[in-house]
């Protein structure tokens, strides 16, 4: 395999830059490096590069490291993972209104000294890796577009067969990502930024109700649950492009993991199953058409990822419920909600 990970943590700036430095940013970058080194999927030091301090001072230096990582991908079994932790900015009056990432030599309110996300996307799109994942812990990350071959829609994370994924620290209309440490996290993660700290906590502790690998869906669910338990953090954002929640990204280190093959039973079980693994068991869900309809209604009332899942389940239902009686049972649960009665 030729999978590669590049972590960029920019928390130190030139004296007259007008930029505030945060030690939490570079601590987060080092913690990502430690986590990757412990993971059998990423443990080879040659496959994971951590850029901070002088190594992340210029846009040219960052892009050369990214080009090296992206060019290593050889095929559908490879993964390209890029993590950026630092300041993000968005200027409407530059071509295309691009989100920009700070490098060590960036200066406040001078877009030409920052790294445009357009260049990051271009390098990642050219990689031959089957799975391309961009994790961004910065302000304005909610305005990042799809990483897939066609740009335009706002926001995102991904899987095999040219699947891509952008996972952002903030979502919706929230633009500011906190760089202040979260005291509720265990040490040394209590010295990281909140989003990265909670993400790294999921990777360190694992998820006992999950299988041997942590999927994109599990990662999102674990971070959501951890940040909600704190009660002070904004929710992150995850959308998929030609990708599935079932794509594996890290090893699950939890002890006493769930018994493989356990089947979901209730609406809550199925909503969680779909958010963790996508449509992997869709055929099994469609054996109970009325339950499937209620699950779709629940997903439609959720966030972007849930609504996207609902659309994919609906497309699957049209193909799998060939018996008209079954389809009526399924649709009978959805129609009242669409008409405002559910």
């Amino acid at each position: 395999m030729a999978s590669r990970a590049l972590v960029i943590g920019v928390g130190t700036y030139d004296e007259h830059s007008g930029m505030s430095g945060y030690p939490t940013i570079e601590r987060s970058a080092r913690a990502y490096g430690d986590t990757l080194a412990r993971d059998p999927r990423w443990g080879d030091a040659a496959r994971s590069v951590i850029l901070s301090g002088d190594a992340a001072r210029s846009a040219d230096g960052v892009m050369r490291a990214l080009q090296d990582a992206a060019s290593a991908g050889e095929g559908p079994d490879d993964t390209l993972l890029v993590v950026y932790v630092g300041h993000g900015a968005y200027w409407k009056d530059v071509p295309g209104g691009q989100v920009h990432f700070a490098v060590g030599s960036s200066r406040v309110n001078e877009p030409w000294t920052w790294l445009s996300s357009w260049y990051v996307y271009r390098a990642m799109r050219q990689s031959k890796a089957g799975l391309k994942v961009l994790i961004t812990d910065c302000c304005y990350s909610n305005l990042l577009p799809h990483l897939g071959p066609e740009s335009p829609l706002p926001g995102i994370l991904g899987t095999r067969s040219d699947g891509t994924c952008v996972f952002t620290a903030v979502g919706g209309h929230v633009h500011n990502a906190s760089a202040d440490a979260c005291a509720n996290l265990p040490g040394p993660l209590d010295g990281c930024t909140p989003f990265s700290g909670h993400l790294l906590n999921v990777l360190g502790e694992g998820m006992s109700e999950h299988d041997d690998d942590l999927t994109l869906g599990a990662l999102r669910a674990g971070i959501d649950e951890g940040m909600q338990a704190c009660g002070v953090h904004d929710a992150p954002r995850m959308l998929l492009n030609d990708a599935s929640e079932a794509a594996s990204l890290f090893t699950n280190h939890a002890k006493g993991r769930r018994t493989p093959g356990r089947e979901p039973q209730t609406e809550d079980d199925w909503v969680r199953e779909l958010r963790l693994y996508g449509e992997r068991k869709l055929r099994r869900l469609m054996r109970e058409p009325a339950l499937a309809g209620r699950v779709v209604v629940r997903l439609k009332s959720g966030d972007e990822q849930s609504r996207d899942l609902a659309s994919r389940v609906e497309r699957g239902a049209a193909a799998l419920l060939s018996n008209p009686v079954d389809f009526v049972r399924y649709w009978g649960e959805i129609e009242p909600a669409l008409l405002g009665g559910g």
Side-chain angles (χ1 to χ4, degrees):
M1 290 180 62
S3 296
R4 292 291 186 273
L6 175 66
V7 178
I8 307 154
V10 187
T12 304
Y13 306 92
D14 292 344
E15 182 180 357
H16 301 295
S17 67
M19 310 272 288
S20 298
Y22 288 92
T24 53
I25 290 174
E26 293 185 3
R27 286 177 193 152
S28 297
R30 290 193 296 270
Y32 278 111
D34 293 341
T35 297
L36 289 164
R38 290 193 299 267
D39 191 322
R41 297 173 64 94
W42 296 100
D44 184 348
R47 294 170 54 203
S48 302
V49 175
I50 314 301
L51 296 184
S52 62
D54 289 343
R57 191 177 183 281
S58 71
D60 181 69
V62 171
M63 284 305 302
R64 285 179 184 276
L66 177 54
Q67 288 285 131
D68 288 345
S71 63
E74 296 176 351
D77 292 330
D78 296 330
T79 299
L80 172 62
L81 169 63
V82 179
V83 180
Y84 175 79
V85 190
H87 283 301
Y90 181 82
W91 287 279
K92 295 180 180 179
D93 56 349
V94 300
Q98 300 293 331
V99 174
H100 288 67
F101 302 126
V103 294
S105 57
S106 295
R107 297 185 295 273
V108 69
N109 296 328
E110 297 184 4
W112 58 92
T113 66
W114 295 54
L115 173 59
S116 171
S117 58
W118 189 91
Y119 294 110
V120 174
Y121 276 46
R122 182 178 185 274
M124 293 186 71
R125 285 177 177 141
Q126 290 182 335
S127 171
K128 295 179 181 178
L131 172 61
K132 305 168 192 177
V133 179
L134 174 63
I135 298 176
T136 53
D137 186 357
C138 64
C139 294
Y140 294 97
S141 54
N142 60 312
L143 298 181
L144 286 166
H146 280 279
L147 179 56
E150 300 179 9
S151 324
L153 297 175
I156 331 210
L157 234 182
T159 190
R160 309 299 169 190
S161 303
D162 297 323
T164 64
C165 169
V166 180
F167 196 8
T168 68
V170 290
H173 299 294
V174 176
H175 297 315
N176 296 324
S178 174
D180 296 326
C182 176
N184 295 325
L185 288 165
L189 300 180
D190 57 354
C192 297
T193 63
F195 173 73
S196 288
H198 278 279
L199 189 158
L200 290 160
N201 194 43
V202 172
L203 299 183
E205 294 188 354
M207 298 179 69
S208 59
E209 75 280 19
H210 209 290
D211 293 331
D212 290 342
D213 290 331
L214 288 179
T215 62
L216 296 178
L219 195 59
R220 167 65 190 271
I223 296 169
D224 271 350
E225 290 162 9
M227 296 182 90
Q228 286 175 19
C230 283
V232 294
H233 304 304
D234 295 311
R237 188 182 202 203
M238 177 177 118
L239 297 176
L240 304 173
N241 189 69
D242 289 335
S244 166
E245 290 81 358
S248 297
L249 190 60
F250 294 98
T251 302
N252 187 4
H253 296 295
K255 298 178 180 178
R257 291 189 290 274
R258 77 176 191 172
T259 304
R262 187 192 69 180
E263 293 291 343
Q265 301 295 326
T266 66
E267 289 175 38
D268 286 340
D269 289 344
W270 274 107
V271 168
R272 184 170 178 79
E273 178 75 19
L274 290 165
R275 283 176 63 85
L276 291 175
Y277 299 106
E279 307 98 306
R280 189 180 67 168
K281 294 184 179 178
L282 191 56
R283 189 176 296 275
R284 161 71 181 81
L285 174 60
M286 290 303 161
R287 294 176 194 163
E288 302 179 60
L291 173 62
R294 293 194 295 274
V295 169
V296 168
V297 171
R298 288 275 301 278
L299 290 172
K300 282 179 175 289
S301 64
D303 62 7
E304 288 168 287
Q305 181 198 359
S306 298
R307 295 193 296 272
D308 177 64
L309 267 170
S311 298
R312 283 184 270 148
V313 172
E314 286 182 304
R315 290 195 293 271
L320 293 171
L321 296 176
S322 55
N323 185 326
V325 174
D326 288 339
F327 193 84
V328 167
R329 289 174 182 158
Y330 163 80
W331 186 249
E333 300 290 338
I334 298 175
E335 188 174 29
L338 293 177
L339 296 176

